[in-house]
Amino acid sequence: MAKVVIGARLPGRIDQILAGHEIVRPAEPEAELPRARLTEALRDAEGLLTLLKVRIDDALLDGAPRLRVVANYAVGYDNVDLAATARRGIVVTNTPDVLTDATADLTMTLMLAAARRLPEGGAMLREGRWRGWEPEQLPAMDLGGAQLGIVGLGRIGQAVARRARGFGMRVVYTQRSAATAEVEAATGARRVALDELVATSDVVTLHAPATAETRHLMDAARIAQMKPRAVLVNTARGALVDEAALAAALDRGHLLGVGLDVFEDEPRVHPALAASPRAVLMPHLGSSTVGTRTAMAELAAQSIADVLAGRRPANVVSAPGSH
Ligand code: DGY
């Protein structure tokens, strides 16, 4: 019987999937395992199911000498130091696929809300500034015929492209290597260079992982390249955008709006973004539907069960020998 640490209260059939193992988890009413208990439990644990906000690095792993698998409860795994896990022969897994549709749906939600100026209209109404129907009230973006620029045509980027076509948008994308002909045909997306995408798109949406290369991909210069009255959407990772530069561009009136689900220093939000009537903000909820969060929990638990049983899980990010 191996010890498995579950870092947070999670939905789904975790106990059945990990039957036969000792599970350490938060005690009611705790939502998450406090750091001291996590550290204590990791001393002899073989599996860890962790949240994306916990940094998995040498400092944590030095205290977990028996750990064999880290299952990250997210598709993104920038919180995991893969060199540190690889040095110790630890398998790392993530939760792809099950969250694709939910995240693409929230991307569309943010795009629509920013392009149609939802926060400004809502505030006008609630604050008693609405004087009735007017022909030129809060003119918004016509999405039909507009160009959507997708940075990263992976699973989520593709799901966004398919949705955008339903709105009559033209779709371009950028990524290091071209998508397959099948993917381009299914999404109707045309590959262009990043600079062209940024300079010609009416809406730019980010679907790339946070790495040293993508940090501040949207910096002041790139944001300035965006078309006047364009919209930027980010449901990937906050590190991709220089928030101070973005807030300044909003203040100058260069952008029509932004839709952000992720932030550079979560849970902190740049005060100028929080104050901007043109920013549609959500607290990192891209995958937060009942079905998706349940599926993520079960997938993560299954990958731990697989490793502990000597099987290779389907969703391996890094395994001994792969680095
Ligand atoms: C992820 O999976 O990486 C999201 O940010 C959280 O669901």
Side-chain angles (χ1 to χ4, degrees), residues 248-263:
L250 271 181
D251 275 357
R252 292 198 298 280
H254 179 62
L255 300 178
L256 179 65
V258 300
L260 304 176
D261 184 45
V262 288
F263 302 89

Side-chain angles (χ1 to χ4, degrees), residues 159-216:
V160 171
R162 289 193 299 271
R163 284 158 172 73
R165 284 185 86 188
F167 282 82
M169 299 182 85
R170 290 174 290 114
V171 182
V172 297
Y173 76 97
T174 194
Q175 67 183 15
R176 208 178 300 149
S177 34
T180 62
E182 293 77 46
V183 167
E184 289 195 351
T187 56
R190 183 173 58 86
R191 184 166 172 238
V192 296
L194 175 60
D195 285 334
E196 180 183 338
L197 179 144
V198 168
T200 61
S201 295
D202 300 291
V203 179
V204 174
T205 182
L206 306 179
H207 301 285
T211 63
E213 282 172 11
T214 61
R215 185 179 148 68
H216 285 188

Side-chain angles (χ1 to χ4, degrees), residues 52 74-76 95 99 236-237 284 287 293 296:
L52 58 83
V75 68
T95 60
L99 47 63
R237 284 291 181 270
H284 206 150
S287 62
R293 288 281 164 93
M296 288 167 66

